[in-house]
Amino acid sequence: MSKPPVGVNRTGRKLGQKVKKGKLKASSRRWIERHINDPYVQRARLEGYRARAAFKLLEIDEKHKILDGARRIIDLGAAPGSWSQIAAKVTDSTDADPRVAAIDFLEMDPLPGVKILQMDFLDPEAPEKLKEAIGGTPDLVISDMAAPTTGHRQTDHLRTMHLCEVAAHFAVEVLGEGGHFLAKTFQGGTERDLLNMLKQNFRQVIHIKPAASRAESVEMFLLAKGFKGRAAIEAGAEAEA
Ligand SMILES: C[S@@+](CC[C@H](N)C(=O)[O-])C[C@H]1O[C@@H](n2cnc3c(N)ncnc32)[C@H](O)[C@@H]1O
């Protein structure tokens, strides 16, 4: 992908637009102004993506090549669906031969080639349903899940970290050898135990802050590359015992 479209208006819409003072609260007005002036929002509209989040995945892939050769992808926290759009494209997924399974507790508009489950990923039945939906071994598990905000920063942080942890354990359970796991996390928030678990199971574990992730946000991404495979891990554990 080319450089981020900072300050460039490729949609024909002006950047730097202001929302008139009126009945809106100042915080809502600031949110709307930031949204309509965000070059990634405009670019998503132009390129047909459902969310600006698409560019986070594309930027990460540009550097770390996680989509290359992916044949089956599971997308956790998928709505409105821009990561699933990319996943369906790279896997050549079709409704007749679906290669992408997506889950979100929010409703998501249908996408060709994507099996959508509207349910909570933390529901004990979700892992089995996702495995059934993907119909084969996935080589990529991506999670952009963020817990709904409560207004209490620490609670929100802990809840999103919990989602990341459950997603990581799910990835280790379902991925094929050589597969990758990408998940949203928070700056300084990844627990040592989770990092250790990932380092045992993957060849490389790194934190990434893509340019499309807002600078003021504490959001980061955790990428675990090259799953060693369950047989290798079990053999290692037996040798240690
Ligand atoms: C940042 S959005 C994802 C955007 C998406 N990657 C895209 O490209 O369109 C995060 C999503 O995670 C979902 N989410 C959060 N917690 C979840 C859970 N426990 N189970 C399922 N989805 C969850 C939210 O409903 C929200 O739609």
Side-chain angles (χ1 to χ4, degrees), residues 51 53-54 75 77-83 103-106 119-122 144-148 163 184:
D75 185 6
S82 72
W83 284 20
I103 186 168
D104 204 297
F105 49 49
L106 295 182
M119 69 187 292
D120 188 340
F121 174 65
L122 297 177
D144 197 14
M145 282 186 294
L163 287 169
K184 195 202 291 281

Side-chain angles (χ1 to χ4, degrees), residues 214-239:
R214 291 189 169 101
E216 67 275 22
S217 157
V218 289
E219 167 189 271
M220 301 252 329
F221 288 88
L222 181 61
L223 173 62
K225 277 187 91 176
F227 180 52
K228 293 177 188 168
R230 278 166 292 283
I233 307 299
E234 278 156 26
E238 267 171 36

Side-chain angles (χ1 to χ4, degrees), residues 93-115:
S93 190
T94 60
D95 286 339
D97 180 17
R99 286 159 178 274
V100 178
I103 186 168
D104 204 297
F105 49 49
L106 295 182
E107 198 176 346
M108 182 167 142
D109 286 341
L111 263 177
V114 181
K115 284 230 177 166

